[in-house]
Amino acid sequence: MTWTDPLAATLAPSPDDFAALARRAFDDLPEDFRRQAGALAFRIDDFATDAVLDEQGVEDPFALTGLLQGGHPGPPTLVLYRRPILDEWCERGDIALGELVAQVVADELGQVAPSGAWPGEGWSGVRSPSLADFAALAAHALANLPLAIKAAVGDVQIRVEDFADDETLDALEIEDAFELTGVYEGVDLPRRSVFDVAPSPSSIRLFRRPILDEWCEGEVGFQALVEHVFVHEAAHHFGFSDAGIEHVEQS
């Protein structure tokens, strides 16, 4: 699957998706090891609990991607932490989700994950959305704005970056770069004057990592979220109120 087909409409990988990837990763380990390991249970949590983090001496919950817990009684349980794994997947951008999950599984079991491509159904061979994927979806959102608004937008440039730069964050008095998903730069049309001297084209900047971080919460599809951020920023081009922005999104 790619980010230009129905995958774009899906929610972020769910715990069930992770469990399926983990089982496949375990099945791909050497047969002798699997026979020796015996029964192994899998559990998928979003993050490790505070108690587990304290026990492991880890302060940042995003730093712990998995943990093998001994079964007393019962089989041992391999716990995978969904959000930290997704965070690494989004940050790297060069690894399929199935391959990354396989690395976590193998590391926790003291094994080496098989190398090679990760094709297959579902999320197995999917890499995180790139800057180009974001730009394509933003261009699609621009092309599909209502005609009256699209005509009024005029020459708007689309820029996609991983994060806002420090200058932008300081200007908006934002400390955490993950809190800014997009920004409109330019003069709103209602404030422009016929006496303006050839103003440079306005631009809409989308920030990949904060948008992906919000998508990983699992409440909205990727394409819908990118388009929401884009339309929200585009609406500033017209000085729209929040109610006006909502009307644009529903039209």
Side-chain angles (χ1 to χ4, degrees):
M1 293 190 294
T2 69
W3 294 102
T4 57
D5 65 19
L7 177 63
T10 64
L11 301 177
S14 68
D16 287 344
D17 295 322
F18 267 77
L21 292 174
R23 293 188 185 96
R24 173 182 169 179
F26 180 73
D27 290 343
D28 284 344
L29 293 176
E31 183 178 354
D32 290 345
F33 170 78
R34 288 187 283 112
R35 186 181 302 112
Q36 182 180 359
L40 178 67
F42 292 95
R43 192 176 81 236
I44 312 298
D45 294 339
D46 268 359
F47 291 101
T49 63
D50 290 341
V52 169
L53 292 173
D54 290 342
E55 181 181 288
Q56 298 298 314
V58 177
E59 295 184 0
D60 182 1
F62 279 98
L64 190 61
T65 55
L67 183 66
L68 181 62
Q69 298 179 334
H72 302 291
T77 298
L78 179 56
V79 186
L80 299 185
Y81 300 114
R82 187 181 73 95
R83 291 296 305 280
I85 293 175
L86 285 177
D87 185 67
E88 182 176 346
W89 177 64
C90 292
E91 179 179 3
R92 292 181 59 174
D94 62 349
I95 187 170
L97 183 59
E99 183 179 0
L100 181 56
V101 170
Q103 289 181 2
V104 175
V105 169
D107 287 346
E108 294 302 323
L109 296 176
Q111 298 293 300
V112 177
S115 60
W118 278 80
E121 299 180 354
W123 290 99
S124 182
V126 178
R127 297 183 180 185
S128 61
S130 66
L131 297 176
D133 294 323
F134 271 79
L137 288 178
H140 180 270
L142 176 60
N144 287 277
L145 285 174
L147 291 178
I149 297 177
K150 182 180 177 182
V153 167
D155 187 11
V156 173
Q157 297 178 346
I158 299 172
R159 297 167 55 191
V160 185
E161 305 157 57
D162 273 332
F163 289 102
D165 55 77
D166 291 340
E167 182 179 356
T168 299
L169 294 173
D170 290 343
L172 296 173
E173 299 183 347
I174 295 176
E175 295 184 0
D176 185 354
F178 276 99
E179 293 182 1
L180 186 61
T181 55
V183 65
Y184 166 84
E185 293 182 337
V187 180
D188 297 345
L189 286 182
R191 298 180 182 177
R192 289 189 180 178
S193 167
V194 294
F195 300 106
D196 290 341
V197 179
S200 58
S202 299
S203 65
I204 294 174
R205 298 167 63 193
L206 301 180
F207 303 118
R208 173 180 171 272
R209 290 297 309 286
I211 293 175
L212 285 177
D213 189 63
E214 184 173 341
W215 173 68
C216 287
E217 295 177 3
E219 297 180 358
V220 64
F222 173 64
Q223 181 175 359
L225 179 58
V226 173
E227 292 182 352
H228 167 77
V229 174
F230 177 84
V231 170
H232 186 276
E233 298 306 328
H236 287 301
H237 193 66
F238 312 99
F240 273 32
S241 64
D242 288 341
I245 293 174
E246 183 177 355
H247 176 73
V248 170
E249 291 184 309
Q250 294 177 352
S251 61

